[in-house]
Amino acid sequence: MCGIVGYIGDQEAYPILIKGLHRLEYRGYDSAGISLINNQGTLSVYKSKGKVSALEKSVEGKDISGTIGIAHTRWATHGEPNATNAHPHFSQSKNLSLVHNGIIENYKSLRAELEKNGMTFCSETDTEVLVQLVEYMMNSHRCDLYTAVQLALKNVVGAYAIAILEKSHPDQLVCARKGSPLIIGVGTTPSGRKEFYLGSDATPIIEYTNQVIYLNDEEIAIMDRTGRLDITNLSNVKQTPQLVTLQMNLDQLEKGGYPHFMLKEIWEQPAALRTCIRGRLNVVDKDVLLSGIIDHKDKFLKCRRIIICACGTSWHSALIGKYFIEEACKIPVEVEYASEFRYRNPVILPDDIVIAVSQSGETADTLAAIQLAKEHGAFLYGICNVIGSSIARATHTGTYLHVGPEIGVASTKAFTGQVITLCLLGLAIAKEKKTLPDELFHILVDELQQIPDKMQWTLENNKDIDKFAQMFTYCKNFIYLGRGYNYPVALEGALKLKEISYIHAEGYPAAEMKHGPIALIDEEMPVVVIAPKHGMYEKIVSNIQEIKSRKGKIISVVTQGDEVVRNMSDYSFIIPDTRDCFVPMLAVIPLQLLSYYVAISKGRNVDQPRNLAKSVTVE
Ligand code: M6R
């Protein structure tokens, strides 16, 4: 939800900011804007509706010089996506410009108060209220920008990451955060002085420096051209910045010859999962090592219930995690939509462990859910991909996915990374609790190790999905069915199709069909059935019969060598044999490819589907 970039140093800011916006475009892409102070001290703001490329066109021939600037790519919350509502926003005197990611919940009352004091507004956004409030504080308290930001933010309810330029002080950049992410990159100019970068995540920064500071909630930072960086909290108490070295390389942020990030990320899954299990799964000693479990063994031994909070695709992987942990560890697991959990007075008991699953580590609802659980004294475990993200930092311990940056809005490698991490977690807890017989534990360790190779096989043996997918270009509905471990895969397959092709799709537990949805089946309805040889094979075969007798078109995911379901199907995707509990990581691959190629055949923008953003930092 919105991306922020900033720069102050010796270099021209515009190319850095524009490149940064392109890297952050996955966070929001309905409008974009940039603000610069040139060497004559002019503070300019350029904004346009649409993608960053539209902004680039709109500034052709304009003065884009200057070595300090801020920029923004927007996912609209307050006010329709147009150039007026796009960021940066000017203050009334045009002495300040500001970009913001987050939501100011009390913006209406603040705006009314400011209007009473003679301030006028151009946009419908909550952000404009912020910049006007800062200016109002500067004027009414006769203070500098930094103090005014502190004063203003004390009056603000909501979430923000902000960056501000001041025309009359072109040598300094001020930023702050609460609830929305903001990272400061610290580089060195050729003359040996420090230069500073800002980013909503590390992607716009890594090209220039791997030294970063993750700003904490309610911290304000000021950077200037002399290399000064001061951070305080809202009460003006000085904070000591922690410099962190980023583990990321630029190649991970490029498409690497693929037409889309989504396709690249689908094909990256075997390598990504190998990285995820490296050092954690030991086939020689038949062991699983997760430091988050080893270091907090007592918590897991006395835990009576696990609650997993997540949203979207992460909720689907959490459901697979529930099935596995309950089976392997004999601990009851509840999977909660974070957005529901946070508002419904849930019962959280002293020995509960709450796990947050989130690729971005920034999803507002998931973050709020664990904050609530923390207030109730729960022990918090984070399963995140983005290192240093808010959820990773808000939890007591956790496990990173290490699947590399996921840029496509549709989650693919993060999903399988989450599933394999939850399997590792289940095995690590089972080891401590001794809930699995040794022989079975060893079989599961060996089998889990083979999953990346089996994913590779699946990718290489389902290469004609692109041609097959074209049959569904004009299709209006799809149903996805699975049972047991594959019910969440059905949900995930349906979500992937919906979000990038805009075709309506429903995922169901196969046996629930006859309680209603079977009425939808006719010769027009493609039904994707995940029907591996294990699990409830016979049962799912009868579900397929029920659909066939109502003339539904069957697209099945079958185990290699299963001719029975293959012969019953109009089309089949083949996966290698594996344990029932690990099938989701293989079965989801043809479904990811199917949704990708159907979306391509419809001419959709698969990496940036309409109305969506990669990281949902607003509720
Ligand atoms: O970053 P998170 O894993 O917390 O994100 C949760 C969902 O917003 C995300 O999985 C979303 O559903 C994806 N677009 C699905 O592909």
Side-chain angles (χ1 to χ4, degrees):
M1 310 264 117
C2 302
I4 289 177
V5 201
Y7 175 74
I8 178 167
D10 288 355
Q11 304 181 60
E12 278 302 299
Y14 178 81
I16 296 169
L17 298 176
I18 285 292
K19 209 177 222 184
L21 286 186
H22 278 297
R23 295 223 193 276
L24 287 180
E25 210 167 16
Y26 72 88
R27 297 177 67 90
Y29 31 82
D30 57 41
S31 53
I34 197 161
S35 181
L36 298 152
I37 306 179
N38 69 11
N39 291 343
Q40 289 73 48
T42 307
L43 173 65
S44 52
V45 168
Y46 305 112
K47 316 198 269 190
S48 72
K49 184 178 168 174
K51 304 225 161 158
V52 177
S53 51
L55 173 68
E56 283 178 278
K57 274 215 179 70
S58 75
V59 299
E60 277 169 18
K62 305 218 168 111
D63 178 13
I64 47 165
S65 66
T67 52
I68 177 170
I70 53 176
H72 188 268
T73 176
R74 180 170 186 243
W75 186 89
T77 54
H78 296 78
E80 69 171 273
N82 58 30
T84 309
N85 290 331
H87 306 204
H89 287 280
F90 267 134
S91 62
Q92 187 152 308
S93 70
K94 298 210 164 138
N95 182 41
L96 306 177
S97 66
L98 177 146
V99 289
H100 167 223
N101 170 29
I103 287 190
I104 305 305
E105 288 168 21
N106 61 338
Y107 83 104
K108 279 195 179 142
S109 58
L110 289 173
R111 180 169 169 151
E113 201 56 38
L114 289 164
E115 279 172 337
K116 258 198 243 156
N117 284 287
M119 307 210 78
T120 53
F121 288 80
C122 309
S123 76
E124 305 152 76
T125 64
D126 53 338
T127 301
E128 196 184 3
V129 171
L130 269 181
V131 70
Q132 301 283 43
L133 183 62
V134 173
E135 179 155 291
Y136 175 76
M137 291 297 180
M138 281 178 92
N139 294 336
S140 55
H141 289 78
R142 296 180 187 283
C143 61
D144 61 13
L145 173 63
Y146 195 79
T147 313
V149 172
Q150 280 179 337
L151 291 170
L153 294 180
K154 281 185 187 160
N155 289 280
V156 160
V157 179
Y160 53 79
I162 53 170
I164 315 175
L165 295 184
E166 183 184 8
K167 185 180 170 187
S168 46
H169 282 93
D171 292 331
Q172 68 178 36
L173 179 56
V174 173
C175 66
R177 80 155 271 187
K178 182 186 171 191
S180 301
L182 199 57
I183 301 178
I184 300 172
V186 184
T188 313
T189 66
S191 60
R193 253 192 317 197
K194 278 197 185 125
E195 58 180 356
F196 299 103
Y197 300 83
L198 289 183
S200 294
D201 65 29
T203 60
I205 298 175
I206 188 68
E207 189 168 346
Y208 313 101
T209 176
N210 63 1
Q211 297 300 298
V212 298
I213 294 159
Y214 292 92
L215 217 56
N216 292 311
D217 275 350
E218 301 201 333
E219 284 183 351
I220 310 173
I222 184 164
M223 291 142 273
D224 72 19
R225 288 183 200 280
T226 66
R228 167 187 163 221
L229 166 67
D230 285 335
I231 302 178
T232 64
N233 63 17
L234 290 190
S235 315
N236 206 25
V237 177
K238 208 168 159 87
Q239 309 291 302
T240 314
Q242 303 283 334
L243 212 57
V244 175
T245 303
L246 288 173
Q247 308 292 334
M248 187 189 272
N249 64 56
L250 213 50
D251 290 351
Q252 295 176 310
L253 307 178
E254 309 289 347
K255 288 188 195 140
Y258 286 90
H260 297 97
F261 281 109
M262 181 179 175
L263 192 61
K264 176 187 177 224
E265 287 157 6
I266 291 173
W267 276 86
E268 267 175 1
Q269 288 176 104
L273 266 63
R274 269 183 211 112
T275 311
C276 178
I277 59 177
R278 190 169 301 135
R280 294 167 170 172
L281 198 65
N282 182 337
V283 275
V284 179
D285 298 338
K286 308 277 181 255
D287 204 359
V288 176
L289 299 160
L290 281 190
S291 56
I293 306 291
I294 297 166
D295 298 346
H296 301 277
K297 189 175 156 179
D298 55 322
K299 299 268 181 220
F300 285 90
L301 286 178
K302 67 174 189 204
C303 161
R304 300 168 67 105
R305 181 177 65 152
I306 291 175
I307 301 170
I308 313 183
C309 294
C311 300
T313 285
S314 299
W315 189 88
H316 299 155
S317 64
L319 210 52
I320 298 167
K322 166 190 162 79
Y323 290 8
F324 186 71
I325 295 168
E326 287 191 340
E327 200 175 6
C329 315
K330 313 290 173 234
I331 303 175
V333 181
E334 287 168 21
V335 177
E336 297 270 0
Y337 284 115
S339 53
E340 291 294 315
F341 183 79
R342 63 181 288 196
Y343 286 120
R344 65 165 182 78
N345 278 328
V347 177
I348 305 168
L349 303 168
D351 289 333
D352 284 347
I353 290 178
V354 175
I355 301 179
V357 180
S358 173
Q359 186 286 130
S360 62
E362 300 294 347
T363 300
D365 285 321
T366 311
L367 187 57
I370 56 166
Q371 274 154 356
L372 175 77
K374 200 180 229 170
E375 283 160 25
H376 284 74
F379 182 73
L380 305 180
Y381 198 98
I383 296 183
C384 300
N385 190 34
V386 177
I387 295 172
S389 54
S390 300
I391 293 172
R393 291 188 301 145
T395 42
H396 295 109
T397 187
T399 304
Y400 282 119
L401 304 183
H402 290 309
V403 296
E406 190 179 68
I407 312 283
V409 163
S411 190
T412 52
K413 63 176 179 174
F415 172 75
T416 46
Q418 289 164 346
V419 175
I420 206 161
T421 302
L422 285 158
C423 291
L424 289 172
L425 186 84
L427 287 173
I429 302 172
K431 184 178 92 174
E432 300 299 348
K433 287 180 70 84
K434 302 190 186 4
T435 42
L436 281 177
D438 284 354
E439 196 191 347
L440 179 56
F441 185 86
H442 297 165
I443 290 171
L444 291 172
V445 167
D446 280 340
E447 188 55 35
L448 199 53
Q449 173 81 15
Q450 290 179 44
I451 290 298
D453 290 345
K454 292 189 175 181
M455 290 176 117
Q456 190 69 39
W457 188 97
T458 307
L459 284 161
E460 281 166 11
N461 287 275
N462 287 286
K463 276 192 174 148
D464 55 349
I465 298 184
D466 54 345
K467 288 171 209 86
F468 168 70
Q470 288 168 17
M471 288 167 52
F472 302 103
T473 310
Y474 301 104
C475 209
K476 295 258 180 294
N477 299 287
F478 261 75
I479 288 181
Y480 287 72
L481 300 177
R483 300 187 71 144
Y485 281 100
N486 296 311
Y487 158 51
V489 179
L491 296 176
E492 176 59 8
L495 176 62
K496 285 290 88 87
L497 189 74
K498 275 186 269 212
E499 69 180 329
I500 59 168
S501 69
Y502 320 147
I503 293 175
H504 170 246
E506 299 275 357
Y508 261 95
E512 274 295 299
M513 280 295 285
K514 50 186 152 323
H515 300 289
I518 201 159
L520 296 168
I521 305 289
D522 62 14
E523 57 278 12
E524 302 288 308
M525 179 66 87
V527 183
V528 180
V529 190
I530 302 131
K533 200 75 182 128
H534 296 295
M536 286 165 275
Y537 179 73
E538 304 300 339
K539 306 264 181 214
I540 203 122
V541 169
S542 350
N543 296 138
I544 294 175
Q545 298 284 13
E546 289 158 12
I547 299 157
K548 272 189 81 72
S549 45
R550 277 137 191 113
K551 298 196 168 53
K553 281 199 177 54
I554 303 286
I555 304 161
S556 58
V557 179
V558 300
T559 307
Q560 185 184 13
D562 176 5
E563 295 306 320
V564 176
V565 174
R566 234 181 129 162
N567 289 333
M568 292 167 77
S569 309
D570 295 274
Y571 189 87
S572 291
F573 305 124
I574 301 165
I575 57 170
D577 197 11
T578 186
R579 301 285 302 193
D580 183 30
C581 51
F582 302 148
V583 168
M585 289 175 276
L586 306 180
V588 78
I589 288 178
L591 307 190
Q592 293 169 342
L593 288 167
L594 178 66
S595 63
Y596 173 83
Y597 285 114
V598 171
I600 292 294
S601 77
K602 294 181 77 70
R604 304 295 192 217
N605 183 343
V606 289
D607 280 341
Q608 294 171 347
R610 72 181 178 203
N611 304 337
L612 290 173
K614 180 76 183 159
S615 158
V616 185
T617 55
V618 294
E619 52 171 311

